[in-house]
Amino acid sequence: MQKLIPNIVLAMCVGMLLASANAAEQPKPRLTLEQRADKARIDSERIEQAQLEKARRAAQETSAREEKIRQQTNPKDWEAQQQLKAQKQFDERESREQKYLQEAKEAAAKERKIPKP
């Protein structure tokens, strides 16, 4: 039995070698230039379609991410913050103007003693 197993393995290896040698000897079909061009054109179209599909998927994913970000950052909140900020600046400016105007009125109301030369 022990001598039989190596013989079976050897026979299988020889059989595979003969099968691969036979396959290698078969001539490959020769394609004409026109057939090669057609095959290349078909391959090119297939690759182009695959690239277009990838680009479409990438564009859809990008637009989905953009929409998600837009929903997360509510522009109305930003607008409200900007309006509050502008109103606060306006109020500060107006209070400063009122303060300067009041100081000017007080200064005008004071009697001035101008020294005589």
Side-chain angles (χ1 to χ4, degrees):
M1 185 73 171
Q2 292 177 352
K3 292 182 180 180
L4 186 61
I5 293 176
N7 287 337
I8 294 174
V9 172
L10 180 65
M12 289 177 63
C13 290
V14 170
M16 288 193 311
L17 285 173
L18 288 176
S20 64
N22 188 22
E25 290 178 11
Q26 292 178 352
K28 293 182 179 178
R30 295 280 184 182
L31 299 176
T32 64
L33 287 177
E34 186 177 335
Q35 290 171 335
R36 287 182 187 174
D38 289 342
K39 186 177 182 291
R41 193 175 304 112
I42 291 169
D43 291 345
S44 173
E45 288 175 1
R46 189 177 326 119
I47 291 170
E48 184 179 356
Q49 289 300 321
Q51 289 175 341
L52 285 172
E53 186 59 36
K54 285 181 186 178
R56 283 187 193 111
R57 272 190 261 122
Q60 287 174 348
E61 290 172 4
T62 301
S63 64
R65 281 194 307 267
E66 288 174 352
E67 184 62 30
K68 183 179 177 183
I69 290 171
R70 256 189 247 124
Q71 288 176 355
Q72 287 176 351
T73 57
N74 193 350
K76 292 180 182 178
D77 291 342
W78 181 82
E79 289 174 7
Q81 289 174 351
Q82 294 302 313
Q83 286 177 345
L84 287 173
K85 184 178 174 182
Q87 185 64 41
K88 182 180 176 184
Q89 289 174 347
F90 178 77
D91 292 343
E92 288 174 0
R93 195 174 305 119
E94 189 175 19
S95 68
R96 259 195 321 264
E97 288 175 2
Q98 291 298 324
K99 180 180 132 185
Y100 295 148
L101 183 59
Q102 184 64 31
E103 288 176 358
K105 284 181 182 178
E106 289 174 4
K110 284 185 181 178
E111 284 187 32
R112 299 217 166 124
K113 294 183 181 178
I114 301 175
K116 292 185 181 178

